[in-house]
């Protein structure tokens, strides 16, 4: 099934609003084994006609977002009706719903709002309880060579519920009896670069035409996605697990912080942090996960050397001898954090985020990560992760959490 997406909205092209529709549609459609063939973003107004003239002969389904409002540049409804030769008729039930919404807001509707109650003959109305712009569905018309066309409002808070409750089921019904469809599997891998992962997997899968493999690299992590028929995917999954037995964080799109919180919670254990270069980023990331209060004991932000001494008990002489950014100081931070918090595990990080502060011996991007646990030997290692300041903090956060994940699972830390 060939699917094209047409996003309308001048604000999307000006960059004042980020277009999230393509990502959302892509993820939702693939649950049905469908993929977007093409998507285009156009400004409000007459460009909608040219976009549809190009898409209609090529597509089986067209998803159109935006242009259903009451203003003069919201002409999607009128253009589609004209192109399909459909008259527009006032739907009094929809008009009453719109007027009722305004009454609930303590406002009076403008006459232009009645435009939103105009329905092309033969179209199905898609209800919009979250706004005044109803959606529309035009079934395919083979005699006129027109595909299935769905018109939806632009704001995500209106579009997503409409798509989930009304468009997705309709698309599912169109697929009934169409035979087997593709499925997918996702592996989230930490600690290995995209090129290294591809170097190991591509030679294995290059002759396997039943499986399509793709990679998506982010800071400190790589997603490996397998696409194909269910039986082929199952065999391919076993291969990925065998090649990366310790580096797979999740066989899903679950984040590393969600994985760590879940592992700690299942074991009834807690964690604490002592952060210098990340400035609280590790604790902030953990607290993004619901239920983190069950596992997070506390977090120390010991940015200054005095704080390392006063709050964690790091010896001033140790800092003077080795420098704040060093393995011995990171170890002392982790052990002090473990002692002061009483948690089961303590993570400590100290590094040089930049852009200044580096030296020939310790350039910008140098970081030491230490992990102390009850009844276990403290682990510390130095890394070099040169990048911009914000990205450095995120990479170090994920690196530290991955060390804790490995310890919780009994995997090697090196």
């Amino acid at each position: 099934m060939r699917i094209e997406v047409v996003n309308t909205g001048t604000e999307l092209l000006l960059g004042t609003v980020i277009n999230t529709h393509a990502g959302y549609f892509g993820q939702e459609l693939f649950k049905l084994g469908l993929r977007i063939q093409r998507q285009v973003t156009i400004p409000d107004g007459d460009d909608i006609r040219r976009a549809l003239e190009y898409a209609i002969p090529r597509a089986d389904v067209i998803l159109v977002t935006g242009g259903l409002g009451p203003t003069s540049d919201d002409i999607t409804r009128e253009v589609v009706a004209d192109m399909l030769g459909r008259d527009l008729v006032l739907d009094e039930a929809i008009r009453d719903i719109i007027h009722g919404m305004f009454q609930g807001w303590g406002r009076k509707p403008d006459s232009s709002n009645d435009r939103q109650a105009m329905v092309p003959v033969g179209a199905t109305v898609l209800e919009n309880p979250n706004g005044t712009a109803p959606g529309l569905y035009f079934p395919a018309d083979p005699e006129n060579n027109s595909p299935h066309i769905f018109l939806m409002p632009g704001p995500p808070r209106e579009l997503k519920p409409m798509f989930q409750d009304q468009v997705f089921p309709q698309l599912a019904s169109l697929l009934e009896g169409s035979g087997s469809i593709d499925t997918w599997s996702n592996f989230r891998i930490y600690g290995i670069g995209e090129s290294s992962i591809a170097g190991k997997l591509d030679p294995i899968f290059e002759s396997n035409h039943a499986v399509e493999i793709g990679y998506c690299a982010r800071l400190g992590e790589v997603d490996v996605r397998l696409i194909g028929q269910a039986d082929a995917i199952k065999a391919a999954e076993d291969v990925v697990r065998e090649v990366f037995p310790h580096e797979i964080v999740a066989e899903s799109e679950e984040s590393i912080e969600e994985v760590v919180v879940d592992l700690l919670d299942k074991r009834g254990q807690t964690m604490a942090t002592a952060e210098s270069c990340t400035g609280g980023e590790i604790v902030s990331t953990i607290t993004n996960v619901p239920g983190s209060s069950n596992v997070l004991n506390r977090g120390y932000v010991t940015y200054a050397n005095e704080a390392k001494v006063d709050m964690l008990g790091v010896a001033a002489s140790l800092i003077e001898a080795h420098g704040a950014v060093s393995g011995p100081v990171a170890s002392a931070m982790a052990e002090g954090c473990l002692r002061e918090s009483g948690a089961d595990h303590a993570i400590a990080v100290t590094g040089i985020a930049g852009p200044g502060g580096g030296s020939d011996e310790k350039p910008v991007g140098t970081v030491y990560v230490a992990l102390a646990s009850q009844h276990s030997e403290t682990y510390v290692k130095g890394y070099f992760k040169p990048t911009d300041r914000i990205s450095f903090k995120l990479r170090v956060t994920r690196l530290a959490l991955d060390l804790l994940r490995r310890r919780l699972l009994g995997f090697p830390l090196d």
Side-chain angles (χ1 to χ4, degrees):
M1 181 179 289
R2 300 165 300 172
I3 299 179
E4 298 209 9
V5 177
V6 178
N7 300 300
T8 73
T10 301
E11 68 281 359
L12 301 178
L13 294 171
L14 292 176
T16 55
V17 174
I18 302 300
N19 182 7
T20 61
H21 295 333
Y24 173 73
F25 285 145
Q27 294 176 35
E28 292 300 311
L29 289 169
F30 203 76
K31 294 175 182 178
L32 296 172
L34 300 173
R35 284 189 266 181
I36 298 172
Q37 182 183 48
R38 177 177 175 270
Q39 71 136 343
V40 62
T41 303
I42 58 174
D44 295 309
D46 292 334
D47 282 342
I48 180 66
R49 182 180 295 274
R50 287 186 288 274
L52 288 174
E53 286 175 345
Y54 187 78
I56 284 176
R58 297 159 42 93
D60 299 306
V61 174
I62 301 176
L63 305 178
V64 184
T65 70
L68 299 178
T71 58
S72 60
D73 59 352
D74 292 317
I75 61 173
T76 299
R77 179 190 307 101
E78 289 78 6
V79 168
V80 174
D82 181 65
M83 293 181 70
L84 299 180
R86 311 286 184 89
D87 292 330
L88 286 162
V89 179
L90 178 67
D91 189 313
E92 295 184 359
I94 295 177
R95 182 183 60 184
D96 291 343
I97 291 173
I98 294 173
H99 284 211
M101 286 183 173
F102 275 91
Q103 185 176 2
W105 299 331
R107 296 163 50 193
K108 291 184 178 181
D110 189 270
S111 59
S112 62
N113 290 109
D114 288 348
R115 289 183 55 221
Q116 297 176 295
M118 300 297 290
V119 176
V121 174
T124 300
V125 174
L126 305 176
E127 297 180 359
N128 181 10
N130 301 295
T132 61
L136 295 168
Y137 166 49
F138 298 83
D141 184 356
E143 291 186 4
N144 293 314
N145 296 317
S146 65
H148 299 275
I149 301 176
F150 295 87
L151 309 186
M152 291 168 282
R157 67 180 184 83
E158 300 178 34
L159 178 144
K160 290 182 178 180
M162 181 182 293
F163 181 86
Q164 197 67 50
D165 298 337
Q166 300 173 77
V167 179
F168 188 93
Q170 182 62 47
L171 291 172
S173 70
L174 296 176
L175 288 172
E176 290 180 0
S178 62
S180 60
I181 58 175
D182 283 345
T183 186
W184 64 276
S185 178
N186 193 80
F187 289 88
R188 183 149 289 178
I189 296 176
Y190 273 68
I192 305 179
E194 180 182 19
S195 59
S196 297
I197 294 174
K200 293 183 178 181
L201 292 182
D202 284 352
I204 299 174
F205 288 104
E206 62 184 358
S207 61
N208 184 356
H209 302 297
V211 175
E212 176 185 335
I213 186 168
Y215 307 94
C216 179
R218 302 182 186 87
L219 288 171
E221 66 183 25
V222 178
D223 278 2
V224 176
R225 176 156 293 179
L226 307 171
I227 302 173
Q229 297 294 301
D231 55 348
I233 291 298
K234 187 176 184 302
E237 289 174 341
D238 292 337
V239 171
V240 177
R241 294 187 191 105
E242 182 178 353
V243 175
F244 302 108
H246 304 134
E247 296 82 6
I248 297 171
V249 170
E251 296 188 16
S252 64
E253 295 180 328
E254 191 176 20
S255 68
I256 192 166
E257 56 267 27
E258 291 173 309
V259 171
V260 168
V261 167
D262 183 61
L263 288 172
L264 288 168
D265 194 40
K266 287 179 178 177
R267 288 161 174 75
Q269 297 181 351
T270 58
M271 65 172 288
T273 66
E275 303 183 57
S276 183
C277 58
T278 50
E281 185 74 32
I282 300 174
V283 163
S284 177
T285 299
I286 286 292
T287 57
N288 287 336
V289 181
S292 57
S293 58
N294 295 332
V295 304
L296 180 62
N297 180 295
R298 68 192 71 181
Y300 298 95
V301 179
T302 54
Y303 215 69
N305 289 344
E306 293 83 356
K308 296 176 178 66
V309 174
D310 295 342
M311 300 174 70
L312 302 174
V314 177
S317 59
L318 193 68
I319 298 176
E320 184 177 352
H322 300 279
V325 179
S326 64
V329 169
S331 294
M333 290 172 63
E335 291 169 356
C337 180
L338 191 71
R339 180 181 61 251
E340 296 297 324
S341 68
D344 295 289
H345 307 276
I347 296 170
V349 296
T350 178
I352 306 169
S359 65
D360 291 340
E361 182 183 356
K362 297 176 183 178
V364 169
T366 300
V367 64
Y368 288 87
V369 181
L371 173 61
S373 303
Q374 301 290 349
H375 314 298
S376 295
E377 184 177 349
T378 298
Y379 175 86
V380 62
K381 185 175 181 179
Y383 301 87
F384 183 53
K385 303 292 182 182
T387 183
D388 65 89
R389 190 175 182 86
I390 301 301
S391 298
F392 176 82
K393 292 168 66 176
L394 291 174
R395 292 195 69 173
V396 172
T397 292
R398 290 169 176 169
L399 177 63
L401 291 177
D402 190 44
L403 287 176
L404 178 54
R405 175 192 71 89
R406 285 170 172 261
R407 172 157 284 180
L408 291 168
L409 292 172
F411 292 164
L413 299 183
D414 287 316

